Amino acid sequence: MTAAGPRPRCRSACRNHRTGVRRAWWDRGMTDLRIRPAGPEELDAVLAFWKTAAEGTSISDDREGVERLVARDPDALLLAERDGELMGTVIAGFDGWRCHLYRLAVHPDHRRRGIGTALLTAADERFVRLGGRRGDAMVLVRNERAQHAWRAAGYEPQEQWRRWVKHLTG
């Protein structure tokens, strides 16, 4: 059961109507998945998780960078866990103007079970509570699996935009 009511029954034996792939998370349900903000004591575990589950690395993937994030916005780093095991993460950052999503990562052994969707739903709900109007995500061009997941969650690429980057030194 979700906050919106009971989960709809899947027709055609819980198979994706386009691909015919069975969706195991419907069988099990998502009731045992817990999504919550990360605590400061969990940051080393999150960094280790990203080495296994996240695509690529970021200049901010270090203890200091993640500590700054959690100190500035304690609810931005969301964790999905089941039975105490970390299954996925997303950073849902809101700067008061825009809603930014980073580090959507699901453990490879637990993908295609609705964990990423649950994380993005929690992020969207957070943004709405904060007054956000539009979420955006940075997705590697080469990461086709991630592009499919983002599209399935209702996001779409904006080809007219290009990301510009400048590495800052202290």
Side-chain angles (χ1 to χ4, degrees):
M1 184 169 234
T2 65
R7 188 169 258 106
R9 291 249 180 235
C10 181
R11 299 169 206 234
S12 74
C14 295
R15 294 187 185 277
N16 180 298
H17 298 285
R18 283 178 286 145
T19 65
V21 174
R22 187 166 179 76
R23 295 182 296 181
W25 62 273
W26 277 100
D27 296 334
R28 219 179 132 171
M30 294 302 287
T31 57
D32 59 344
L33 186 71
R34 181 175 176 223
I35 298 178
R36 62 176 179 77
E41 71 284 358
E42 298 173 292
L43 302 185
D44 289 328
V46 168
L47 288 164
F49 178 81
W50 285 344
K51 288 180 180 177
T52 300
E55 180 73 25
T57 58
S58 167
I59 194 170
S60 303
D61 285 358
D62 60 22
R63 176 86 185 183
E64 289 178 21
V66 181
E67 280 178 340
R68 276 192 303 276
L69 167 72
V70 172
R72 183 181 178 283
D73 187 351
D75 295 332
L77 176 53
L78 299 176
L79 306 181
E81 62 182 16
R82 179 176 288 134
D83 299 325
E85 181 183 351
L86 183 57
M87 300 281 163
T89 68
V90 70
I91 297 173
F94 181 63
D95 61 12
W97 180 257
R98 295 214 171 105
C99 307
H100 302 287
L101 294 152
Y102 309 94
R103 280 297 183 226
L104 175 63
V106 175
H107 191 281
D109 294 341
H110 301 284
R111 291 182 179 154
R112 301 201 49 83
R113 297 181 187 173
I115 296 168
T117 299
L119 282 162
L120 290 177
T121 298
D124 290 349
E125 290 170 355
R126 177 175 197 266
F127 292 151
V128 169
R129 279 193 312 275
L130 294 171
R133 298 181 188 164
R134 177 183 65 198
D136 65 51
M138 296 188 312
V139 182
L140 291 170
V141 172
R142 71 175 188 265
N143 192 344
E144 292 181 26
R145 178 182 299 137
Q147 290 178 36
H148 175 75
W150 285 101
R151 275 191 183 90
Y155 288 79
E156 55 189 44
Q158 289 188 316
E159 301 299 332
Q160 71 272 24
W161 296 97
R162 173 129 358 238
R163 180 176 176 216
W164 292 51
V165 175
K166 176 183 179 183
H167 291 277
L168 305 173
T169 58

